[in-house]
Amino acid sequence: LHTPGSGQGKYEIIDDEEPCYGEIPELAGVEATGKKLEECRHNLAKVINGRLVVRLKSACLSRLLVNTG
């Protein structure tokens, strides 16, 4: 299945409380689960957004340290 806006998502059913598992192979460590496919997609998007926020904060901090040093 394709996850809009986030590249190619891969999904599978696993033996778990949240049986839908999804990952974005191009983004190491970006994986999520959910009780249904839509919940899994939503959780996967939250992981991607969280990664982006961390990267942006890190980049801004790096620039700030370079500019003040």
Side-chain angles (χ1 to χ4, degrees), residues 1-11 23-27 48:
L1 299 173
H2 178 71
T3 304
S6 63
Q8 190 67 24
K10 289 190 176 183
Y11 298 90
E23 64 180 11
I24 306 293
E26 299 85 5
L27 302 173
I48 293 168

Side-chain angles (χ1 to χ4, degrees), residues 3-39:
T3 304
S6 63
Q8 190 67 24
K10 289 190 176 183
Y11 298 90
E12 62 183 270
I13 302 300
I14 59 173
D15 185 22
D16 191 75
E17 271 184 32
E18 295 187 336
C20 293
Y21 169 82
E23 64 180 11
I24 306 293
E26 299 85 5
L27 302 173
V30 174
E31 54 188 46
T33 60
K35 291 184 180 177
K36 296 189 177 201
L37 180 59
E38 287 308 313
E39 180 182 16

